[in-house]
Amino acid sequence: MSREIVLIGRSNVGKSTLFWQLTGTRVRVGKRPGITLHPFKAPLGKVYYVDMPGYGFMFKASRAEQEKTKDLIVHYFEEHASEILLAVQVIDASSFLDIADRWEGRGEMPLEIELWEFLDDLGLDVILAANKMDRIARQDRDGALDLICERLGMLPPWTQWQDKVAPISAKRGQIEPLRALISAKVALI
């Protein structure tokens, strides 16, 4: 049985860039959402890394195509749950709160929170990769992470969740907190 570390998140949060930083395998990336359309796997050591398509808005995609992608993601996680060593939910930490406020203002559950709960309901080990931290002023980072964790059901301060939350900047190659969490998990197999 293969073991997988699966990267999942909204479109354009930096999953494919993070995938490249973790594996050295380049996948097609773009400024527009919806470039990754199918799971892409790359072996590394004892595990396979999987770059999943993004969910939510996809450039020039119909509502039906977006729903098809969402169904693909849900089915992938349900069918491969026993093989998934770790799910890495990648978020854009610089826009997470604004997006969540918008969704909640319409009386809807934000997709990021829905996904977090879905992965937890599946019994998966989940890490939150809070990407694009370089876009948040240094003095505001802890406060932003506290609020993000609170929205996901983890009481602040975020620093008590360093086994589940990795503040990173994939584009800048600043992913050591995530690498450390992944290394600790892989060492157990």
Side-chain angles (χ1 to χ4, degrees):
M1 174 169 63
S2 66
R3 302 298 288 180
E4 297 179 348
I5 296 172
V6 183
L7 305 178
I8 182 67
R10 179 182 285 283
S11 298
N12 262 31
V13 295
K15 292 178 305 299
S16 296
T17 301
L18 180 58
F19 184 83
W20 170 67
Q21 289 286 344
L22 290 167
T23 67
T25 302
R26 287 207 184 262
V27 292
R28 191 169 162 227
V29 298
K31 292 187 184 282
R32 293 188 201 114
I35 298 297
T36 304
L37 298 176
H38 303 284
F40 182 83
K41 292 184 181 187
L44 186 67
K46 301 178 191 179
V47 298
Y48 280 87
Y49 280 80
V50 182
D51 183 19
M52 292 296 290
Y55 56 84
F57 176 76
M58 296 164 60
F59 187 72
K60 292 187 179 180
S62 68
R63 176 66 99 184
E65 290 170 311
Q66 291 178 40
E67 285 301 315
K68 183 179 174 184
T69 299
K70 184 177 178 183
D71 289 346
L72 176 139
I73 291 167
V74 168
H75 291 290
Y76 187 92
F77 276 95
E78 289 174 342
E79 293 169 11
H80 293 87
S82 64
E83 300 161 21
I84 297 173
L85 176 66
L86 189 61
V88 178
Q89 183 174 344
V90 184
I91 65 164
D92 178 342
S94 68
S95 66
F96 177 91
L97 295 169
D98 290 336
I99 292 170
D101 286 346
R102 249 191 335 265
W103 279 72
E104 289 170 350
R106 296 188 307 241
E108 299 178 56
M109 179 181 283
L111 290 173
E112 288 87 349
I113 296 170
E114 183 180 12
L115 177 64
W116 184 259
E117 291 176 0
F118 169 71
L119 296 172
D120 186 58
D121 288 348
L122 285 176
L124 297 174
D125 194 356
V126 186
I127 291 175
L128 182 73
N131 195 21
K132 303 186 183 185
M133 289 301 295
D134 56 301
R135 293 184 177 181
I136 301 173
R138 190 169 298 282
Q139 69 272 16
D140 298 335
R141 291 178 184 173
D142 283 339
L145 288 168
D146 285 347
L147 292 170
I148 290 167
C149 285
E150 191 171 15
R151 290 283 178 91
L152 295 172
M154 297 179 279
L155 294 176
W158 82 270
T159 53
Q160 69 179 324
W161 301 104
Q162 291 184 55
D163 61 332
K164 291 192 84 56
V165 178
I168 64 169
S169 175
K171 191 173 186 177
R172 300 205 187 290
Q174 300 165 347
I175 63 167
E176 284 314 308
L178 180 59
R179 274 193 202 279
L181 292 176
I182 290 172
S183 292
K185 186 66 178 175
V186 171
L188 298 176
I189 60 172

